[in-house]
Amino acid sequence: MDLIDLDNNPAVVPQYNLDDEQEKKEIVRHYRALLRSLRTKLKKGDKELLRTAFEMAADAHKTMRRKSGEPYILHPLAVAMICVDEIGLGVRSTICALLHDTVEDTDIALDDIKNEFGNEIAKIVDGLTKISTIMDANSSQQAENFKKILLTLTDDPRVILIKLADRLHNMRTLDAMKHEKQLKIASETIWVYAPLAHRMGLYNLKTELEDLSMKYMEPETYKEIAKKLAETKRERTKYINEFTRPLKEKLTQAEFEFEIQGRPKSIHSIWNKIKKKGVSFEEVYDLFAIRVILDVPLDKEKEDCWKVYSLITDEYLPSPERLRDWLSNPKSNGYEALHTTVMGPQGKWVEVQIRTKRMNEIAEKGLAAHFKYKEGSQDEDRFDKWFVQIREALSNQQEDGIDFLQDFKTSFLAEEIYVYTPKGEVKMLPINSSALDFAFFIHTAIGSKCIGAKVNHKLVPIGHKLRSGDQIEIITSNKQKPTEDWLQNVVTAKAKNSIKDALREEKKHISEEGKYTLQRKLEGIGAVYNTYNIDQVMNYYKLTSHLDLLFKIATKNLDLKELKLFQVIGEKIEAPKPVIIASENIQETNTNKQLPKKDSELIIFGEKSDKIKYSLGKCCNPIPGDDVFGFVSTAKGLIIHRTSCPNATQLLANYGHRVVKTKWAKNKEISFLTGLSIVGMDDVGIVNKITNIISGELKINIAALTIESKDGLFQGTIKVYVLDKDELEELVERIKSLDGIQQVSRFDTETV
Ligand code: MN
């Protein structure tokens, strides 16, 4: 539950005394403030319901305190207040917010809530509880948690809105937590909650979550930027006034009802700019957006926004590439506005956002405001569409949590582009979508048959990245079918899932053949083909599904040689103890000069300790930086091979279960012997030039060097000690750049 909630372990403070008048007053004060905020939304009977919820929560949490020491009930009260004031939610959501931690942390059961408040509220509280009750653990479980959040989200979006309010209050009160906990919570917030808030259209909430996360994750930078912002405030205000004065006059003359706001960018977004563009604070601190908010009737909105645009650009010159029209094409999170960037006084570029009061409320309060204005909006089903897409993605749950989270982030939390069908229909896709994504977006059948596309009438490959405004015509062929590498060409969950489905079907089809082979071989040893026996074989080869086993057999990646070692008892077979496989073409290495080497430079996945003894395959002489895998040989322990090793295919194919993933860690203290072969024009002094680069400039140790020359050509081999692949690559580049050198290659197969 750590992912979600800070309050999982409220300390019980025995000396807590409910009679403490001060605290009681404080609690009641917060409750009254909440009622005041809800005032306009209260219908008959609501006040009583709220009171019941408040008393129920206060009583349930009465012995609990937050880490900060304050009475626990202040937290649900604060969360409820955020729901009302900052997200614009109503009475029912407030009740849920008040009760959000009761089922998880107190004696109150879901049925109690159901009896008191009915089904709708009980369901939301249940959703909130479920998100919180998953155990704190590693990242993959966190990802699983997130998946669960989204499952509840699709039932009722209010669950996620209340959860965001909960997270915001926890972030605001993070000071009381231990440092490691702060980091953990802050990083989850920046990873999942801030993008989610953004996607729900809650811009203010998103900005605050980002700033708060940064405060804990990058405290120094945060403080520095905050300080500089404070120091430059007067200067900025002066400029904003200078900029807006003529605009105010013009708008007043034109008899608009309006408000103009000028705000600096958030600390987090300034920091992002500094990082991304590699600029200094001084170059970005004066970036701010001017917001013109119009009070106009719904049917005049678009017209008036453009009128204001015209007035502004009469005064200041606009940058033609920086016009964004989200009036005609709102973002899928509901955002509508007209953005332009103009040249202000002193030659500074200033972004101006033109919107109406309604649009502004949607921009600040997102989903809830959107519902409020729903009848008036032409895009009332935009959110519904988003939820439908999420639901579709969730219904395909084969992948594990981390993949899912990754997909979700690129697919649903990314910014969008707008593209057009040949008929001019507009479609929205996540940024970085390809022609293939578009094809699948239109229809699975079109995606599966896609061989390319015409983008703006030009022929492009399926992986071509689309840009806003592109018009796409998909080209299909009946002979086409999805392949594994298509997955690299798409970002949308829909395309990924469709491709995976197709591949799975294909695999099933191929596996049919493996079924016959296995049946024959089982019968060959006097056993029958049944689930028990297939399980035995599957487990023996350390595979996880029958499909994988049959597929491997069908594609001749598994020859079932060891099957004859199985014992047959009646109808059942029993796997033998692991057999010793003769070690193949592997010798103990230790050609390395500076031994003993540290074992920790290699990370071996799936193993508890990274201090595992290993040796390097003689057949391919891997060096740090190479793509490698580990092979468990019975005679020599773990041996590291390059994935390009001539023995690799055979080892991977036949002894897949003995392969462990490995990778190099940074370690500059050891060096590895490797060899280069060089071919070039015979030239006096070439040896000198080469050795000069190696030992003179790059300070690499040479172990041996031989050069043979014949008919004006020379061929040489050099054995050198390098730290890693990068160093070897640099060396190769340098030698290649010498006059007369034609070819430099590393030798793979020979023994160095
Ligand atoms: Mn909470």
Side-chain angles (χ1 to χ4, degrees), residues 679-735:
V679 180
M681 311 289 278
D682 197 359
D683 176 22
V684 201
I686 190 80
V687 177
N688 242 341
K689 284 181 196 161
I690 294 172
T691 51
N692 233 340
I693 289 181
I694 303 176
S695 45
E697 294 177 31
L698 297 176
K699 309 258 184 288
I700 294 172
N701 290 323
I702 302 178
L705 189 147
T706 55
I707 302 259
E708 279 171 50
S709 96
K710 197 181 162 193
D711 304 332
L713 267 181
F714 82 87
Q715 197 196 356
T717 56
I718 316 172
K719 296 172 192 175
V720 286
Y721 286 103
V722 294
L723 293 171
D724 56 21
K725 205 177 170 184
D726 288 351
E727 191 173 57
L728 180 66
E729 268 162 11
E730 191 186 350
L731 176 60
V732 169
E733 283 312 307
R734 295 291 297 273
I735 297 177

Side-chain angles (χ1 to χ4, degrees), residues 5 7 72 75 79 100-101 166 170:
D5 211 314
D7 320 309
Y72 193 89
H75 166 65
V79 173
H100 82 269
D101 280 329
D166 184 28
N170 286 333

